[in-house]
Amino acid sequence: PARTLGLLSSFSEDVRSRGQRPGARILNFERARPTAQEAMSLALSPSDLVYRLRRVRTADGEPLAVEDSTLPAALVGPLSEADVHDASLYALLAGRGLSPARAIRHLRAVNADLTLAPLLNVTVGAALLTTDRVSWLDGGRPIEYARAHYRGDRYDFVMELQGGA
């Protein structure tokens, strides 16, 4: 499936738009102190708490991506593993009045390592597309830091570029 980079949509919306059924399998869910990268990306202090979630994202049951998401606990409110079991994080956030208004996404090519390869059902060294994304609320507060590793043989990105006015 191709992914339009200019629109801020969830993995679930993206997969549904292609006539496939999105899914998620939780690998890890925790409430913890942020890493240095998470604290910087989410404008948090080292003593704040975050929810950290790692999931395998699927389309019609086939693994497409390994997604790591970090949310500021104080902003999101109480969150349990059941809340994120097979759900779109963006839909969950929208339900709490926390819809991301904008995001910056960094896209690069990487190779599958010994951890990612079995999760994505690819060989070690297979081409992956990795994105790092920070999403902000309308008022400018960061709401999510996410890193996703997509199967290079099953997923691609399309960009729409416009000239300045």
Side-chain angles (χ1 to χ4, degrees):
R3 170 80 177 88
T4 302
L5 287 182
L7 300 174
L8 187 53
S9 65
S10 72
F11 179 92
S12 298
E13 291 170 329
D14 189 38
V15 168
R16 269 192 219 98
S17 75
R18 290 169 175 67
Q20 295 177 299
R21 182 179 39 83
R25 181 166 56 91
I26 296 175
L27 300 173
N28 185 50
F29 177 80
E30 62 183 348
R31 187 168 172 260
R33 303 260 181 244
T35 64
Q37 175 69 58
E38 291 165 341
M40 257 185 10
S41 299
L42 295 170
L44 299 173
S45 81
S47 61
D48 287 331
L49 290 171
V50 296
Y51 290 108
R52 193 175 297 121
L53 172 64
R54 173 169 257 215
R55 301 185 290 178
V56 173
R57 302 308 307 271
T58 60
D60 290 340
E62 282 288 308
L64 268 194
V66 174
E67 195 175 66
D68 294 285
S69 300
T70 306
L71 306 166
L75 195 53
V76 173
L79 198 60
S80 72
E81 194 166 323
D83 293 325
V84 297
H85 171 62
D86 210 5
S88 160
L89 273 191
Y90 275 19
L92 176 83
L93 291 172
R96 297 178 181 204
L98 298 170
S99 291
R102 73 179 194 97
I104 292 180
R105 187 177 227 178
H106 174 206
L107 172 67
R108 66 188 188 285
V110 298
N111 297 104
D113 61 18
L114 288 166
T115 302
L116 292 168
L119 294 173
L120 291 170
N121 202 18
V122 297
T123 59
V124 171
L128 303 179
L129 292 169
T130 296
T131 66
D132 286 283
R133 181 183 71 230
V134 177
S135 303
W136 290 270
L137 299 174
D138 205 18
R141 287 199 62 187
I143 185 66
E144 182 199 28
Y145 168 69
R147 171 172 288 169
H149 300 277
Y150 298 89
R151 285 182 56 158
D153 63 336
R154 294 268 174 93
Y155 211 76
D156 63 359
F157 291 84
V158 177
M159 283 180 265
E160 178 183 69
L161 305 174
Q162 296 179 346

Coordinates of all heavy atoms in Angstrom, one line a residue, residues 70-136:
T70 N 5.2 6.8 22.0 CA 5.4 7.3 23.4 C 4.4 8.5 23.5 O 4.4 9.4 22.7 CB 6.8 7.8 23.6 OG1 7.7 6.7 23.3 CG2 7.0 8.2 25.0
L71 N 3.6 8.5 24.6 CA 2.7 9.5 24.9 C 2.9 10.1 26.3 O 3.2 9.3 27.2 CB 1.2 8.9 24.8 CG 0.8 8.2 23.6 CD1 -0.4 7.4 23.8 CD2 0.6 9.1 22.4
P72 N 2.8 11.4 26.4 CA 3.0 12.0 27.8 C 1.8 11.6 28.7 O 0.7 11.9 28.4 CB 3.0 13.5 27.5 CG 2.5 13.7 26.1 CD 2.5 12.4 25.4
A73 N 2.1 10.9 29.8 CA 1.1 10.4 30.7 C 0.2 11.5 31.3 O -1.1 11.3 31.3 CB 1.7 9.6 31.8
A74 N 0.7 12.6 31.7 CA 0.0 13.7 32.3 C -1.1 14.3 31.3 O -2.2 14.6 31.7 CB 0.9 14.8 32.8
L75 N -0.7 14.3 30.1 CA -1.6 14.9 29.1 C -2.7 13.9 28.6 O -3.8 14.3 28.4 CB -0.7 15.4 27.9 CG -1.4 16.3 26.8 CD1 -1.9 17.5 27.5 CD2 -0.3 16.7 25.8
V76 N -2.3 12.7 28.5 CA -3.2 11.6 28.0 C -4.2 11.2 29.0 O -5.3 10.8 28.7 CB -2.4 10.4 27.4 CG1 -3.3 9.3 27.0 CG2 -1.6 10.9 26.2
G77 N -3.8 11.1 30.3 CA -4.6 10.6 31.3 C -4.5 9.1 31.4 O -3.6 8.5 30.8
P78 N -5.3 8.5 32.3 CA -5.1 7.0 32.5 C -5.2 6.2 31.2 O -6.1 6.5 30.4 CB -6.2 6.7 33.5 CG -6.7 8.0 34.1 CD -6.4 9.0 33.0
L79 N -4.3 5.3 31.1 CA -4.3 4.4 29.9 C -3.9 3.0 30.3 O -3.0 2.8 31.1 CB -3.2 5.0 28.9 CG -3.3 4.6 27.5 CD1 -4.6 5.0 26.8 CD2 -2.1 5.2 26.7
S80 N -4.6 2.0 29.8 CA -4.3 0.6 30.1 C -4.0 -0.1 28.8 O -4.3 0.4 27.7 CB -5.5 0.0 30.8 OG -6.5 -0.3 29.9
E81 N -3.4 -1.3 29.0 CA -3.1 -2.1 27.8 C -4.4 -2.4 27.0 O -4.3 -2.5 25.8 CB -2.4 -3.4 28.3 CG -1.7 -4.2 27.1 CD -0.8 -5.2 27.6 OE1 -0.1 -5.0 28.6 OE2 -0.7 -6.3 26.9
A82 N -5.5 -2.6 27.7 CA -6.8 -2.9 27.1 C -7.2 -1.8 26.2 O -7.8 -2.0 25.1 CB -7.8 -3.2 28.1
D83 N -6.9 -0.5 26.6 CA -7.2 0.7 25.7 C -6.6 0.6 24.4 O -7.1 1.2 23.4 CB -6.8 2.0 26.4 CG -7.6 2.2 27.7 OD1 -8.8 1.9 27.8 OD2 -7.0 2.8 28.6
V84 N -5.4 0.1 24.3 CA -4.6 0.1 23.0 C -4.5 -1.2 22.3 O -3.8 -1.4 21.4 CB -3.2 0.7 23.3 CG1 -3.3 2.1 23.8 CG2 -2.4 -0.2 24.3
H85 N -5.3 -2.2 22.9 CA -5.1 -3.6 22.4 C -5.2 -3.7 20.9 O -4.2 -4.1 20.2 CB -6.1 -4.5 23.0 CG -6.1 -5.9 22.4 ND1 -5.0 -6.7 22.4 CD2 -7.1 -6.5 21.7 CE1 -5.3 -7.8 21.8 NE2 -6.6 -7.7 21.3
D86 N -6.3 -3.4 20.2 CA -6.4 -3.5 18.8 C -7.0 -2.2 18.2 O -7.8 -2.2 17.4 CB -7.3 -4.7 18.4 CG -6.8 -5.3 17.1 OD1 -5.8 -4.9 16.5 OD2 -7.5 -6.2 16.6
A87 N -6.5 -1.1 18.8 CA -7.1 0.2 18.5 C -6.1 1.2 17.8 O -4.9 1.0 17.9 CB -7.5 0.8 19.8
S88 N -6.7 2.1 17.1 CA -5.9 3.3 16.6 C -5.6 4.2 17.7 O -6.5 4.7 18.4 CB -6.8 4.0 15.5 OG -6.3 5.3 15.3
L89 N -4.3 4.5 17.9 CA -4.0 5.5 18.9 C -4.6 6.9 18.6 O -5.0 7.6 19.5 CB -2.5 5.7 19.0 CG -1.7 4.7 19.9 CD1 -0.2 5.2 20.1 CD2 -2.3 4.6 21.3
Y90 N -4.6 7.2 17.3 CA -5.2 8.6 17.0 C -6.7 8.6 17.3 O -7.2 9.6 17.7 CB -4.9 8.9 15.5 CG -3.6 9.5 15.2 CD1 -2.5 9.4 16.1 CD2 -3.3 10.2 14.0 CE1 -1.3 9.9 15.9 CE2 -2.1 10.8 13.8 CZ -1.1 10.6 14.7 OH 0.1 11.2 14.5
A91 N -7.4 7.5 17.1 CA -8.8 7.4 17.4 C -9.0 7.5 19.0 O -9.9 8.3 19.5 CB -9.5 6.2 16.9
L92 N -8.1 6.9 19.7 CA -8.2 6.9 21.2 C -7.9 8.4 21.6 O -8.6 8.9 22.5 CB -7.1 6.0 21.7 CG -6.9 6.0 23.3 CD1 -8.0 5.1 23.9 CD2 -5.5 5.6 23.7
L93 N -6.9 9.0 21.1 CA -6.6 10.4 21.4 C -7.7 11.3 21.1 O -8.1 12.2 21.8 CB -5.3 10.8 20.7 CG -4.0 10.2 21.2 CD1 -2.8 10.6 20.3 CD2 -3.7 10.5 22.7
A94 N -8.3 11.1 19.9 CA -9.4 12.0 19.4 C -10.6 11.9 20.4 O -11.2 12.9 20.7 CB -9.9 11.5 18.0
G95 N -10.8 10.7 20.9 CA -11.9 10.4 21.9 C -11.7 11.2 23.2 O -12.6 11.4 24.0
R96 N -10.4 11.6 23.4 CA -10.1 12.4 24.7 C -9.8 13.8 24.3 O -9.3 14.6 25.1 CB -8.8 11.8 25.3 CG -9.1 10.3 25.8 CD -7.8 9.7 26.4 NE -8.1 8.3 26.8 CZ -7.5 7.7 27.7 NH1 -6.5 8.2 28.4 NH2 -7.8 6.5 28.0
G97 N -10.2 14.3 23.1 CA -10.1 15.6 22.7 C -8.6 16.0 22.4 O -8.2 17.2 22.6
L98 N -7.8 15.0 22.1 CA -6.4 15.2 21.9 C -5.9 14.9 20.5 O -4.9 14.3 20.3 CB -5.6 14.4 22.9 CG -5.8 14.7 24.4 CD1 -5.2 13.6 25.3 CD2 -5.3 16.1 24.7
S99 N -6.7 15.3 19.5 CA -6.3 15.0 18.1 C -5.1 15.8 17.6 O -5.0 17.0 17.8 CB -7.4 15.3 17.1 OG -8.5 14.4 17.3
P100 N -4.0 15.1 17.1 CA -2.9 15.8 16.6 C -3.3 16.7 15.4 O -4.1 16.3 14.6 CB -2.0 14.7 16.1 CG -2.4 13.4 16.8 CD -3.9 13.6 17.0
A101 N -2.7 17.9 15.4 CA -3.1 18.9 14.4 C -2.0 19.0 13.3 O -2.2 19.3 12.2 CB -3.3 20.3 15.0
R102 N -0.7 18.6 13.7 CA 0.4 18.6 12.8 C 1.5 17.7 13.3 O 1.5 17.3 14.5 CB 0.9 20.0 12.6 CG 1.7 20.6 13.7 CD 2.3 22.0 13.4 NE 3.3 22.3 14.3 CZ 4.6 22.2 14.1 NH1 5.1 21.7 13.0 NH2 5.5 22.5 15.1
A103 N 2.3 17.3 12.4 CA 3.4 16.4 12.7 C 4.6 16.6 11.8 O 4.4 17.1 10.7 CB 2.9 14.9 12.6
I104 N 5.8 16.3 12.3 CA 6.9 16.2 11.4 C 7.4 14.8 11.4 O 7.5 14.2 12.5 CB 8.1 17.2 12.0 CG1 7.6 18.6 11.8 CG2 9.4 16.9 11.2 CD1 8.6 19.7 12.2
R105 N 7.7 14.3 10.2 CA 8.1 12.9 10.1 C 9.4 12.8 9.3 O 9.6 13.5 8.3 CB 7.0 12.2 9.3 CG 7.1 10.7 9.2 CD 5.9 10.2 8.4 NE 5.4 9.0 9.1 CZ 4.4 8.4 8.7 NH1 3.7 8.7 7.7 NH2 4.0 7.3 9.4
H106 N 10.3 12.0 9.8 CA 11.6 11.8 9.2 C 11.6 10.4 8.7 O 11.3 9.5 9.4 CB 12.7 12.0 10.3 CG 14.1 11.7 9.8 ND1 15.1 11.3 10.7 CD2 14.6 11.7 8.6 CE1 16.2 11.0 10.0 NE2 15.9 11.3 8.7
L107 N 11.9 10.2 7.4 CA 11.8 8.9 6.7 C 13.2 8.6 6.3 O 13.9 9.4 5.7 CB 10.9 9.1 5.5 CG 10.7 7.9 4.5 CD1 10.1 6.7 5.2 CD2 9.9 8.4 3.3
R108 N 13.6 7.3 6.5 CA 14.9 6.8 6.0 C 14.8 5.3 5.8 O 13.9 4.6 6.3 CB 16.0 7.2 7.0 CG 15.9 6.5 8.3 CD 17.0 7.1 9.3 NE 17.0 6.3 10.5 CZ 16.1 6.4 11.5 NH1 15.1 7.2 11.4 NH2 16.2 5.7 12.6
A109 N 15.8 4.8 5.0 CA 15.9 3.4 4.8 C 16.8 2.7 5.8 O 17.9 3.3 6.2 CB 16.4 3.2 3.4
V110 N 16.5 1.6 6.3 CA 17.3 0.8 7.2 C 17.2 -0.7 6.8 O 16.3 -1.0 5.9 CB 16.9 0.9 8.7 CG1 17.1 2.4 9.1 CG2 15.5 0.4 8.9
N111 N 18.0 -1.5 7.4 CA 17.9 -3.0 7.1 C 17.4 -3.7 8.4 O 17.7 -3.3 9.5 CB 19.3 -3.6 6.7 CG 19.8 -3.0 5.4 OD1 20.6 -2.1 5.4 ND2 19.2 -3.4 4.3
A112 N 16.6 -4.7 8.2 CA 16.0 -5.4 9.3 C 17.1 -6.1 10.1 O 18.0 -6.7 9.5 CB 15.0 -6.5 8.8
D113 N 17.1 -5.9 11.4 CA 18.1 -6.6 12.3 C 17.5 -7.8 12.9 O 16.4 -8.3 12.6 CB 18.6 -5.6 13.4 CG 17.4 -5.1 14.3 OD1 16.4 -5.7 14.3 OD2 17.6 -4.1 15.0
L114 N 18.2 -8.4 13.8 CA 17.8 -9.7 14.5 C 16.5 -9.6 15.3 O 15.8 -10.5 15.5 CB 18.9 -10.3 15.3 CG 20.1 -10.8 14.6 CD1 21.3 -11.0 15.5 CD2 19.8 -12.1 13.9
T115 N 16.2 -8.4 15.8 CA 15.0 -8.1 16.5 C 13.8 -7.9 15.6 O 12.7 -8.5 15.8 CB 15.1 -6.9 17.4 OG1 16.2 -7.1 18.3 CG2 13.9 -6.7 18.3
L116 N 14.0 -7.1 14.6 CA 12.8 -6.7 13.7 C 12.5 -7.8 12.7 O 11.3 -8.0 12.4 CB 13.2 -5.4 13.0 CG 13.2 -4.1 13.9 CD1 13.8 -3.0 13.1 CD2 11.8 -3.8 14.4
A117 N 13.5 -8.5 12.1 CA 13.2 -9.4 11.1 C 12.1 -10.5 11.4 O 11.2 -10.6 10.7 CB 14.5 -10.1 10.6
P118 N 12.2 -11.2 12.6 CA 11.2 -12.2 12.9 C 9.8 -11.5 13.1 O 8.8 -12.1 12.8 CB 11.7 -12.9 14.1 CG 12.8 -12.1 14.6 CD 13.3 -11.2 13.5
L119 N 9.8 -10.3 13.7 CA 8.5 -9.7 14.0 C 7.8 -9.3 12.7 O 6.6 -9.3 12.6 CB 8.7 -8.4 14.8 CG 9.3 -8.6 16.2 CD1 9.6 -7.2 16.9 CD2 8.2 -9.4 17.1
L120 N 8.6 -9.0 11.6 CA 8.0 -8.5 10.3 C 7.9 -9.7 9.3 O 7.5 -9.5 8.2 CB 8.8 -7.4 9.8 CG 8.6 -6.1 10.6 CD1 9.6 -5.0 10.1 CD2 7.1 -5.5 10.4
N121 N 8.4 -10.9 9.7 CA 8.4 -12.0 8.9 C 9.3 -11.8 7.6 O 8.9 -12.1 6.5 CB 7.0 -12.4 8.5 CG 6.9 -13.8 8.0 OD1 7.7 -14.6 8.3 ND2 5.8 -14.1 7.3
V122 N 10.5 -11.2 7.8 CA 11.4 -10.9 6.7 C 12.8 -11.5 7.2 O 13.0 -11.8 8.3 CB 11.5 -9.4 6.4 CG1 10.2 -8.9 5.8 CG2 12.0 -8.6 7.5
T123 N 13.7 -11.6 6.2 CA 15.0 -12.0 6.5 C 15.9 -10.9 7.1 O 15.6 -9.7 6.9 CB 15.8 -12.6 5.3 OG1 15.8 -11.5 4.3 CG2 15.0 -13.8 4.7
V124 N 16.9 -11.2 7.9 CA 17.8 -10.2 8.4 C 18.4 -9.5 7.2 O 18.8 -10.2 6.3 CB 18.8 -10.9 9.4 CG1 19.9 -9.9 9.7 CG2 18.2 -11.4 10.6
G125 N 18.5 -8.2 7.3 CA 19.1 -7.5 6.2 C 18.1 -7.0 5.1 O 18.4 -6.2 4.3
A126 N 16.8 -7.4 5.3 CA 15.8 -7.0 4.3 C 15.6 -5.5 4.5 O 15.8 -4.9 5.5 CB 14.4 -7.7 4.6
A127 N 15.2 -4.9 3.4 CA 15.0 -3.4 3.3 C 13.7 -3.0 4.1 O 12.6 -3.6 3.9 CB 14.8 -2.9 1.9
L128 N 13.9 -2.0 5.0 CA 12.8 -1.5 5.8 C 12.8 0.0 5.6 O 13.8 0.6 5.3 CB 12.9 -1.8 7.3 CG 13.1 -3.2 7.7 CD1 13.2 -3.2 9.2 CD2 11.9 -4.0 7.3
L129 N 11.6 0.6 5.7 CA 11.4 2.1 5.7 C 11.2 2.4 7.2 O 10.2 1.9 7.8 CB 10.3 2.5 4.8 CG 10.5 2.4 3.4 CD1 9.2 2.6 2.6 CD2 11.6 3.3 2.9
T130 N 11.9 3.3 7.7 CA 11.8 3.8 9.1 C 11.3 5.2 9.2 O 11.9 6.0 8.4 CB 13.1 3.6 9.9 OG1 13.4 2.2 9.9 CG2 13.0 4.1 11.3
T131 N 10.3 5.5 10.0 CA 9.9 6.9 10.2 C 10.0 7.2 11.6 O 9.7 6.4 12.5 CB 8.5 7.1 9.7 OG1 7.6 6.4 10.5 CG2 8.3 6.7 8.2
D132 N 10.4 8.5 11.9 CA 10.4 9.0 13.2 C 9.4 10.2 13.1 O 9.5 11.0 12.2 CB 11.7 9.6 13.7 CG 12.7 8.4 14.1 OD1 12.5 7.9 15.1 OD2 13.5 8.1 13.2
R133 N 8.5 10.3 14.0 CA 7.4 11.3 13.9 C 7.2 12.0 15.3 O 7.1 11.3 16.3 CB 6.1 10.7 13.4 CG 5.0 11.7 13.2 CD 3.7 11.0 12.8 NE 3.1 10.2 13.8 CZ 2.8 8.9 13.7 NH1 2.9 8.3 12.6 NH2 2.3 8.3 14.7
V134 N 7.0 13.3 15.3 CA 6.5 14.0 16.5 C 5.3 14.7 16.1 O 5.2 15.3 15.0 CB 7.5 15.0 17.0 CG1 6.9 15.8 18.2 CG2 8.9 14.4 17.4
S135 N 4.2 14.5 16.8 CA 2.9 15.1 16.6 C 2.5 16.1 17.6 O 2.8 15.8 18.8 CB 1.8 14.0 16.5 OG 2.1 13.0 15.5
W136 N 1.9 17.2 17.2 CA 1.5 18.2 18.2 C 0.0 18.5 18.1 O -0.6 18.3 17.1 CB 2.2 19.5 17.8 CG 3.7 19.6 18.0 CD1 4.3 19.9 19.2 CD2 4.7 19.2 17.1 NE1 5.7 19.8 19.0 CE2 6.0 19.4 17.7 CE3 4.7 18.8 15.7 CZ2 7.2 19.2 17.1 CZ3 5.9 18.5 15.1 CH2 7.1 18.7 15.8

